[in-house]
Amino acid sequence: MKTKSIINSRDIPMLVVMILFVLMFGVGSVMFRGFFSMQNFLNLFIDNAYLIIMAVGMTFVIISGGIDLSVGSMLALSTMVTSSLLEKSHWNPVCVILIVLAMGVALGLFMGYLIRKFDLPPFIVTLAGLYFARGLCYVVSVDTIAINDGFWQTMAHGQINIIGNNFISPSVIIAIVVLIAGIFISRSTKFGRTVFAIGGNEQSAVLMGLPVARTKVLLYAFSGFCSALAGIVFTFYTLSGYALDGSGMEMDAIATVVIGGTLLTGGVGSILGTLFGVFIYGTIQVLIVFQGTLNSWWTRIAVGFLVCVFCVFQRILESRGTKEKRKDTSAKAEKTPVKG
Amino acid sequence: MVGWKSLTRNKLFWPIVALAILMLFNLFFTPHFFRVEIKEGHLYGNVIDILKNGAPIMLLAIGLTLVIATKGIDISVGSIVAISAGVVAMLIGGDLKGVPKFPIPYAMGVALLISIVAGCWNGLLVSRVGMQPMIATLILMVAGRGIAMVTTNAMVVWLYAKPFAFLGQGYWLGLPFSIYIVAFLVLLTAFVTRRTALGLFIESVGINPTAARFAGINAKNIIFGVYAFSGFCAGVSGLVVCSTVMSADGNNAGLGYELNGILAVVLGGTSMNGGKFYLLGSIVGALIVQTLTTTIYAFNVPPEIAQVVKALVVWIVCLLQSGKFRSTFAAMFGKRELSV
């Protein structure tokens, strides 16, 4: 019998991402004065609250072996509809939030239905969704719409003090609630476990009698819900709606999920890992700001590079995993006494 | 009715019918759509404009056709267009008197070389590392825009070198010069894929890579090759785009081209599931896309909203290509499903 190693090979990506985050934050603290502070860490939450929310939805989709490219445009559409309903139609904030969330769910349901019912590849359906939502933004308005609504203003400027002089924004609370809900759903509900089963092997999941069809549709609806909510939180952050908001954000969301150790082939992943993925993404941005001379476009290049490294890393782990499995089974086969 | 049947079986039949219907619509509803005038020895008119403006998409579609035939996808083409445009613009330089910084052929050569390198990068990730085509090219799709912005220092570079304008704006024998580039590339690609076994190799890789490998086809090299070729086509497209507007805008050059390109290929009859490909079909597909765009513009609809229409068309075409949708549809009308 092989002794069980202390670290499960499945936890390696998670460990790597944690170490990488600590390392990056450490390097920043050594290089730049004022980098290492509680507030700077909390800023990662404040500046990326919308990304955390979006990435939670994306994690579920990717664990199921699918992909949702429409999230960035969905966020933009959500900011546009929010600002337009608030400022041009003067609706009640609660109504606006409900309508925007319903819209996200509806588009997600529609795409999920196409993917599930007609076996269409998720990326092409959601790629069309990307352009559909982005185009609708321009239908709402071509210009930026500023939000002056009272409720939005309080949400944007609100500060909640924790530990000394450090503060977080109300958006962070929403993000954390979504995060905890995501962790709970993925670990302890039938829906969450079915998502993992679909990602592992869809046919087996069907044969096990799991509600694959329903789960697959709901999955995209959930992702749509998350990106619509992310859009609302984004308007708390920017206090405006603009049709070009969140362009390329689908990549950011996918990047954070992949960096967080979720396998693109599906079946393996964790919401907590995604949180660390967001931290690393945020730290890159902060590092580039602190560095000062680099163009903000370098963030994109750096994130693309990191995703690439992590994908290659995943592939290596995967091929090692299958080799180990093969060894294990062959070793077992040798040890099994031949009945004669 | 043997003749009719063989006609409808021809893969080019339906794309051409779609194009004809679109043209017919324009004949009735868009005034002066078919008017072609001769000014200064060139042909002018909407139809010529469609050919001219459709050239970049046609060029992309040639490369994309081969990629999609291998059951792959390349969504980085839009970004490669931006990179190619950026590189050629920076090398020629924005000199007001039109004196190029480097010789124009040299600048074009370098831009194409960099595009091919970008394509090879995609090919490497897909064929050697084993990443899903979607993700591998998504990395370059987003990082590529960053690279394009960094090449042009995040500015729009304007060009004044007259000879370079010929590529995208020049006329030869009364027709836009870019059309000859498209024709040349299509003929070359058709010759190489149809007169040699290469086309069959590509199709067999798309239908079943494992079987292709057992048949002695080096699937990895074929896949690597098609991505490199797609990069090259995108590079040529970038040169034409840059020359048409005589400027390079890292943010907007080639924006949304990946969807248009994929749409053209899929409309042309090549299935997203890989296998048989139709180069001429893709060209007709690109013409449909361009005619659709022109028609939308002719109705004074903002260009951004055209995206919504295109997204809808993608969804519909995907549905029509899905075997499941066809069988459901057939069942609805009480027809017996055709045995495949």
Side-chain angles (χ1 to χ4, degrees):
Chain A
M1 273 285 280
K2 215 174 86 180
T3 46
K4 254 194 179 172
S5 55
I6 307 161
I7 304 163
N8 190 337
S9 77
R10 279 204 168 176
D11 294 334
I12 291 177
M14 183 77 185
L15 268 173
V16 168
V17 74
M18 281 181 179
I19 292 168
L20 186 69
F21 169 63
V22 172
L23 218 67
M24 281 173 69
F25 209 79
V27 166
S29 313
V30 173
M31 275 171 69
F32 306 109
R33 193 188 280 177
F35 190 96
F36 186 77
S37 68
M38 187 66 185
Q39 189 57 52
N40 201 13
F41 176 70
L42 289 179
N43 280 347
L44 287 180
F45 272 105
I46 297 173
D47 295 337
N48 297 303
Y50 62 92
L51 191 57
I52 293 175
I53 297 171
M54 188 187 270
V56 167
M58 184 66 94
T59 310
F60 276 96
V61 175
I62 291 183
I63 288 175
S64 84
I67 195 109
D68 188 351
L69 295 178
S70 68
V71 289
S73 312
M74 200 51 230
L75 174 135
L77 182 60
S78 152
T79 69
M80 287 308 283
V81 172
T82 307
S83 52
S84 156
L85 284 182
L86 280 175
E87 294 306 312
K88 292 190 173 163
S89 318
H90 300 286
W91 284 31
N92 185 334
V94 179
C95 257
V96 172
I97 291 177
L98 287 180
I99 284 200
V100 168
L101 292 180
M103 184 187 67
V105 171
L107 191 65
L109 270 180
F110 173 68
M111 292 192 297
Y113 181 77
L114 286 186
I115 291 166
R116 156 68 208 140
K117 177 80 182 170
F118 303 112
D119 263 344
L120 298 180
F123 72 87
I124 189 81
V125 172
T126 53
L127 186 68
L130 187 164
Y131 289 96
F132 182 74
R134 183 71 69 193
L136 283 185
C137 290
Y138 290 98
V139 177
V140 177
S141 167
V142 183
D143 304 313
T144 311
I145 306 173
I147 300 175
N148 300 311
D149 182 84
F151 176 66
W152 251 257
Q153 294 282 350
T154 27
M155 288 303 268
H157 300 301
Q159 291 185 350
I160 300 160
N161 281 314
I162 48 163
I163 328 172
N165 275 332
N166 305 306
F167 66 88
I168 53 172
S169 64
S171 307
V172 175
I173 309 273
I174 303 176
I176 289 174
V177 168
V178 172
L179 197 72
I180 291 171
I183 292 174
F184 175 76
I185 293 173
S186 72
R187 293 205 176 155
S188 331
T189 64
K190 195 177 170 188
F191 173 79
R193 301 323 292 174
T194 311
V195 170
F196 276 91
I198 294 173
N201 189 333
E202 191 173 336
Q203 266 175 341
S204 312
V206 173
L207 291 175
M208 279 161 73
L210 293 171
V212 170
R214 199 178 63 206
T215 309
K216 258 184 124 176
V217 178
L218 283 180
L219 206 58
Y220 288 91
F222 180 68
S223 176
F225 171 83
C226 284
S227 29
L229 185 63
I232 294 173
V233 169
F234 196 73
T235 53
F236 290 156
Y237 188 65
T238 60
L239 276 179
S240 68
Y242 182 42
L244 273 177
D245 276 341
S247 59
M249 209 177 269
E250 55 282 347
M251 177 64 180
D252 296 342
I254 294 171
T256 53
V257 173
V258 172
I259 293 172
T262 299
L263 288 190
L264 281 165
T265 39
V268 179
S270 74
I271 307 280
L272 202 62
T274 302
L275 177 68
F276 277 93
V278 175
F279 282 165
I280 286 183
Y281 173 84
T283 313
I284 293 176
Q285 269 185 331
V286 178
L287 278 174
I288 284 173
V289 170
F290 266 81
Q291 203 271 342
T293 55
L294 281 177
N295 186 315
S296 68
W297 283 95
W298 281 99
T299 316
R300 277 281 145 79
I301 300 177
V303 170
F305 174 74
L306 258 189
V307 172
C308 199
V309 169
F310 270 80
C311 281
V312 174
F313 176 66
Q314 283 187 0
R315 290 294 305 174
I316 294 168
L317 275 186
E318 243 173 88
S319 58
R320 260 190 48 196
T322 46
K323 262 182 211 160
E324 258 172 35
K325 250 185 212 165
R326 256 184 232 154
K327 253 189 217 161
D328 276 5
T329 42
S330 58
K332 265 180 204 160
E334 271 169 29
K335 274 178 194 166
T336 331
V338 184
K339 283 179 188 171
Chain B
M1 297 289 275
V2 182
W4 174 247
K5 249 190 182 167
S6 68
L7 191 67
T8 50
R9 284 252 177 91
N10 191 325
K11 272 287 176 175
L12 267 179
F13 179 75
W14 291 112
I16 287 179
V17 166
L19 185 61
I21 292 174
L22 211 55
M23 288 285 188
L24 210 64
F25 176 81
N26 277 307
L27 183 68
F28 289 119
F29 296 102
T30 321
H32 312 307
F33 191 80
F34 283 96
R35 193 161 68 188
V36 175
E37 290 170 354
I38 298 179
K39 279 184 199 163
E40 297 163 27
H42 309 322
L43 293 171
Y44 275 95
N46 265 330
V47 184
I48 305 295
D49 272 355
I50 289 175
L51 284 177
K52 192 174 148 192
N53 298 335
I57 302 292
M58 288 188 224
L59 288 167
L60 282 184
I62 299 170
L64 268 176
T65 310
L66 298 190
V67 171
I68 290 179
T70 62
K71 207 174 183 175
I73 190 85
D74 186 352
I75 57 169
S76 69
V77 286
S79 295
I80 297 180
V81 165
I83 295 177
S84 160
V87 169
V88 80
M90 286 315 275
L91 286 178
I92 289 176
D95 189 80
L96 282 173
K97 284 177 197 145
V99 183
K101 215 187 279 173
F102 290 96
I104 292 173
Y106 169 78
M108 283 164 58
V110 172
L112 286 182
L113 203 67
I114 290 180
S115 310
I116 294 174
V117 169
C120 287
W121 167 255
N122 283 335
L124 202 71
L125 289 184
V126 176
S127 69
R128 305 293 144 148
V129 182
M131 250 185 239
Q132 294 127 296
M134 174 69 228
I135 302 301
T137 54
L138 185 75
I139 292 171
L140 198 60
M141 179 192 182
V142 174
R145 282 241 168 255
I147 294 170
M149 289 306 275
V150 170
T151 356
T152 59
N153 295 326
M155 285 182 296
V156 180
V157 184
W158 291 93
L159 299 178
Y160 301 93
K162 274 274 148 57
F164 182 62
F166 185 73
L167 205 61
Q169 299 174 14
Y171 284 81
W172 192 50
L173 300 178
L175 284 174
F177 182 68
S178 44
I179 282 303
Y180 295 101
I181 304 177
V182 175
F184 175 72
L185 206 56
V186 171
L187 286 179
L188 189 75
T189 316
F191 181 79
V192 171
T193 52
R194 295 307 183 196
R195 290 286 158 223
T196 69
L198 193 63
L200 278 179
F201 287 178
I202 291 174
E203 288 178 350
S204 59
V205 169
I207 293 165
N208 190 337
T210 321
R213 197 165 55 82
F214 282 128
I217 295 169
N218 192 334
K220 283 186 176 177
N221 281 353
I222 297 264
I223 292 176
F224 179 80
V226 292
Y227 284 93
F229 181 67
S230 173
F232 168 75
C233 289
V236 178
S237 175
L239 294 183
V240 174
V241 167
C242 181
S243 153
T244 310
V245 291
M246 282 310 261
S247 69
D249 178 352
N251 243 340
N252 291 317
L255 197 63
Y257 274 25
E258 52 282 340
L259 186 79
N260 285 336
I262 293 168
L263 188 53
V265 174
V266 175
L267 280 174
T270 306
S271 164
M272 295 289 300
N273 296 322
K276 287 206 177 322
F277 64 90
Y278 307 93
L279 281 171
L280 274 181
S282 301
I283 298 296
V284 176
L287 282 176
I288 297 176
V289 173
Q290 191 57 43
T291 314
L292 193 67
T293 316
T294 312
T295 312
I296 295 170
Y297 289 176
F299 281 86
N300 283 329
V301 178
E304 292 85 1
I305 296 172
Q307 290 180 351
V308 179
V309 179
K310 280 181 197 159
L312 289 175
V313 175
V314 172
W315 277 331
I316 292 169
V317 173
C318 277
L319 279 180
L320 291 179
Q321 279 195 355
S322 139
K324 255 194 171 171
F325 178 77
R326 283 189 202 169
S327 53
T328 327
F329 198 69
M332 251 176 359
F333 287 88
K335 276 186 199 164
R336 220 190 281 160
E337 198 184 331
L338 284 171
S339 56
V340 182

